[in-house]
Amino acid sequence: MRLIVERVSHGYGALEVLDDISLTVEEGEILAIIGPSGCGKSTLLGILGGLLKPSKGRVLTDGSAPEGSLNPITYIFQDFALLPWRSVAGNVAFALEHRRLGAREREARIDEVLAKIGLRDFASALPRQLSGGMRQRVGIARALAVRPAILLLDEPLSALDAQTREILIEEFLALWLAHRTTAVYVTHNLDEALRLADRVCVLSRRPGRIREMVAVDVGRQDRTPARLAPLRERLWRSIQDEARAADREYV
Amino acid sequence: MSEPLRFRGGGFVTRPKPISSCLAGLAVVAIWQAVASAGWVSPVFLPSPAGIARALAEMALSGQLWRHLAASLQRILLGFALGSAAGLAFGLALGLLSHARAAGLPIVSALFPIPKIALLPLFILWFGIGEPSKVATIALGVFFPMAIATYSGVDQVPRTLIRMAQSFDVPTHAVVAKVILPGALPGILSGVRISASIALILVVAAEMIGAEFGVGAFILTAGNLMRTEDLLAGVCLLSILGLAVGFLVSLAERRLLAWR
Ligand SMILES: Nc1ncnc2c1ncn2[C@@H]1O[C@H](COP(=O)(O)OP(=O)(O)OP(=O)(O)O)[C@@H](O)[C@H]1O
Ligand SMILES: [Mg+2]
């Protein structure tokens, strides 16, 4: 499924947050969005998922969802958004409970995604018993269980330590290569963006505008730090002044 | 020159010391008993712990205890059930609906601080001196803390969980039942704890104003007859009742909030 954003602007009251954003997320690509703190990345993602109504402009989807998709546009959250009173399996089940789905198939789907993410042995554990990395794996399992056509990820790894982040990037890439789900990936982390994305969209500081759209023209298997260095350098130059200015701002 | 590092941490952490707890309790009773036995104070003013225990035992054997306890418990349970059910529903509305919050919150805030026992005379006018006026006083006393605890419990449910549920197209009624209510449960249970102790206060006060049976009525009568041992036996009963309620709430918290 493609996602088409047409001239979207958004404000909270008098605070203008997004200014005239137009872009298309192509079928089967990962579009990374980077930009300084408070520039409206989460707001944009909220608009893309239908959780926020933009002040101006509109968002369209194009194409059909995969077979058996229950929730075409699906989020993975920065703070995992797990129900603390439900087990791992219960949290995955939550996404399936209000769908036309027999109990049998629901169980099968839960089992399938837990196995895929390596959570089977933790099915009855409570979130508080798990490490941050495991919690985000539950978030990913829950998202996969509904067979999404478009994944929206809002800094999914930023609550994790550097090693765990590295491991989850690898796992996420492997999963993504198996499904090739269209994805929008918001991050602060240039390396994350360059490792995962087909294109990187650079937003200016608030009100967020598209400053640049950078294609990552290195095959995913060749993305070593050395190969990515020139792109990284270029992106950093593009955002550093904005990031410095945003850092010194107060509302 | 080497010397060992000076230790400067420690302290400021309390650990359970069960022996000290027991000793303190025993010491209080023992000193009390000694003072009473020495005969320095008239037993009318300060009966001995043994005397109070005897009075309690007599009450239990004669069946008086159960009659008074049953009367009080019945009022508490009925008033608590009515008041907390209404408070829960009202608090949920305050937490979830903008209009209900705009209309209801100022009213609740204005009525909450009124000591509800002040309304008992009015309820006696409305419902007569019998059970309904007492139950209504307790229900009203329970209603406000329950409504406010539920409302703030709902407010404390993380927004991101609600967004998550919406992002999976979970229908509104299920968001309430499966996200908001369980998320608000810690707040609701602390409301239960507060309103249970309020119910205990109100039942005693209401029974002192006009009742034949009930722990409050028993204490008042004992006082009027200067039967201090009976009076303090009734007070002990209240203490036990309060402890039992607190224990039940803690039990519920441990069972229902095990996920925390
Ligand atoms: N519900 C809201 N009401 C009012 N202002 C808001 C609301 N949500 C966000 N904002 C403001 O809008 C601006 C953009 O917020 P947003 O969360 O989209 O930024 P972001 O780019 O995701 O930031 P970060 O990098 O810190 O995650 C911020 O200044 C924020 O304070
Ligand atoms: Mg954000």
Side-chain angles (χ1 to χ4, degrees):
Chain A
M1 221 193 295
R2 298 161 73 219
L3 198 56
I4 302 150
V5 182
E6 284 183 352
R7 312 210 58 178
V8 161
S9 300
H10 192 71
Y12 297 103
L15 187 73
E16 274 189 59
V17 171
L18 290 172
D19 185 21
D20 201 14
I21 304 281
S22 294
L23 57 85
T24 302
V25 190
E26 298 296 341
E27 167 95 47
E29 83 164 337
I30 300 180
L31 175 72
I33 297 181
I34 61 175
S37 219
C39 75
K41 303 180 294 295
S42 299
T43 304
L44 180 59
L45 219 53
I47 291 169
L48 295 187
L51 293 179
L52 273 175
K53 230 184 232 154
S55 315
K56 280 197 214 123
R58 58 179 187 163
V59 180
L60 310 165
T61 57
D62 174 43
S64 55
E67 170 95 12
S69 177
L70 297 171
N71 192 50
I73 303 183
T74 299
Y75 280 91
I76 293 175
F77 296 87
Q78 175 177 11
D79 58 2
F80 323 132
L82 302 180
L83 300 175
W85 49 86
R86 284 198 180 212
S87 67
V88 167
N91 267 286
V92 176
F94 183 72
L96 305 174
E97 278 166 10
H98 305 276
R99 307 289 184 175
R100 287 173 194 284
L101 205 63
R104 264 266 199 71
E105 199 191 336
R106 187 162 76 216
E107 292 308 314
R109 274 204 189 198
I110 295 170
D111 200 54
E112 178 196 321
V113 292
L114 290 186
K116 201 181 279 180
I117 313 272
L119 281 171
R120 223 193 210 143
D121 295 340
F122 299 84
S124 53
L126 285 173
R128 73 171 155 83
Q129 299 171 302
L130 302 176
S131 68
M134 281 311 225
R135 289 184 209 181
Q136 191 55 294
R137 286 188 182 92
V138 181
I140 295 172
R142 177 176 62 192
L144 293 187
V146 294
R147 306 213 176 126
I150 297 172
L151 272 178
L152 303 177
L153 304 99
D154 192 354
E155 304 189 35
L157 306 182
S158 67
L160 306 176
D161 63 82
Q163 288 93 45
T164 312
R165 200 180 305 162
E166 194 62 33
I167 296 168
L168 263 94
I169 289 180
E170 302 276 327
E171 289 184 17
F172 180 78
L173 253 183
L175 280 170
W176 183 82
L177 288 171
H179 295 266
R180 302 233 170 220
T181 309
T182 310
V184 181
Y185 192 105
V186 168
T187 177
H188 272 127
N189 188 314
L190 289 182
D191 299 309
E192 238 170 87
L194 289 172
R195 289 274 291 284
L196 295 171
D198 295 281
R199 291 185 298 156
V200 180
C201 171
V202 183
L203 292 185
S204 69
R205 79 188 145 106
R206 196 181 59 234
R209 295 190 193 92
I210 297 182
R211 255 182 87 103
E212 242 190 307
M213 195 61 108
V214 179
V216 185
D217 46 10
V218 181
R220 280 204 171 77
Q221 61 287 359
D222 304 327
R223 293 189 181 179
T224 56
R227 289 290 299 275
L228 292 172
L231 269 173
R232 191 181 194 289
E233 184 64 29
R234 173 174 163 205
L235 282 177
W236 175 236
R237 224 176 277 129
S238 164
I239 61 172
Q240 65 175 341
D241 295 340
E242 301 269 354
R244 286 214 170 90
D247 188 37
R248 298 179 162 278
E249 226 164 50
Y250 60 95
V251 188
Chain B
M1 259 283 292
S2 66
E3 55 179 312
L5 203 62
R6 187 168 58 83
F7 174 68
R8 50 188 175 174
F12 303 104
V13 180
T14 56
R15 278 180 284 273
K17 299 280 184 200
I19 298 178
S20 305
S21 310
C22 294
L23 283 181
L26 286 175
V28 168
V29 175
I31 293 172
W32 182 357
Q33 181 67 47
V35 170
S37 310
W40 297 332
V41 193
S42 149
V44 174
F45 293 115
L46 189 71
S48 72
I52 296 169
R54 204 177 322 116
L56 260 178
E58 272 170 25
M59 264 178 91
L61 289 176
S62 71
Q64 273 217 67
L65 188 146
W66 314 114
R67 205 160 42 178
H68 291 298
L69 205 57
S72 294
L73 278 179
Q74 197 182 345
R75 290 171 188 136
I76 291 179
L77 287 179
L78 204 58
F80 185 83
L82 290 172
S84 62
L88 195 75
F90 199 76
L92 213 52
L94 286 181
L96 293 176
L97 311 170
S98 314
H99 283 295
R101 182 179 300 204
L105 204 53
I107 298 176
V108 170
S109 310
L111 299 182
F112 177 52
I114 299 175
K116 301 302 169 300
I117 194 67
L119 296 174
L120 181 61
L122 181 68
F123 289 151
I124 291 176
L125 273 178
W126 287 355
F127 305 124
I129 191 88
E131 293 304 301
S133 58
K134 295 182 185 64
V135 170
T137 307
I138 295 168
L140 199 71
V142 166
F143 172 83
F144 287 98
M146 262 324 261
I148 288 176
T150 306
Y151 153 75
S152 55
V154 169
D155 241 23
Q156 272 161 25
V157 178
R159 294 298 308 174
T160 148
L161 291 184
I162 297 170
R163 279 169 64 92
M164 181 276 291
Q166 290 179 323
S167 83
F168 283 103
D169 273 332
V170 173
T172 308
H173 67 88
V175 177
V176 173
K178 295 183 173 177
V179 179
I180 292 174
L181 273 179
L185 200 58
I188 294 173
L189 283 178
S190 69
V192 168
R193 192 184 283 282
I194 296 169
S195 41
S197 61
I198 289 179
L200 200 61
I201 295 172
L202 286 178
V203 78
V204 172
E207 286 168 352
M208 285 185 169
I209 290 180
E212 193 179 347
F213 296 113
V215 181
F218 174 79
I219 291 175
L220 189 71
T221 313
N224 288 339
L225 300 175
M226 303 238 282
R227 293 168 58 158
T228 329
E229 284 179 352
D230 282 352
L231 188 157
L232 285 177
V235 172
C236 282
L237 215 53
L238 290 175
S239 160
I240 293 166
L241 210 57
L243 286 175
V245 168
F247 174 77
L248 285 179
V249 177
S250 298
L251 203 68
E253 276 177 346
R254 231 172 307 138
R255 300 262 337 234
L256 297 172
L257 304 180
W259 49 268
R260 285 209 295 188

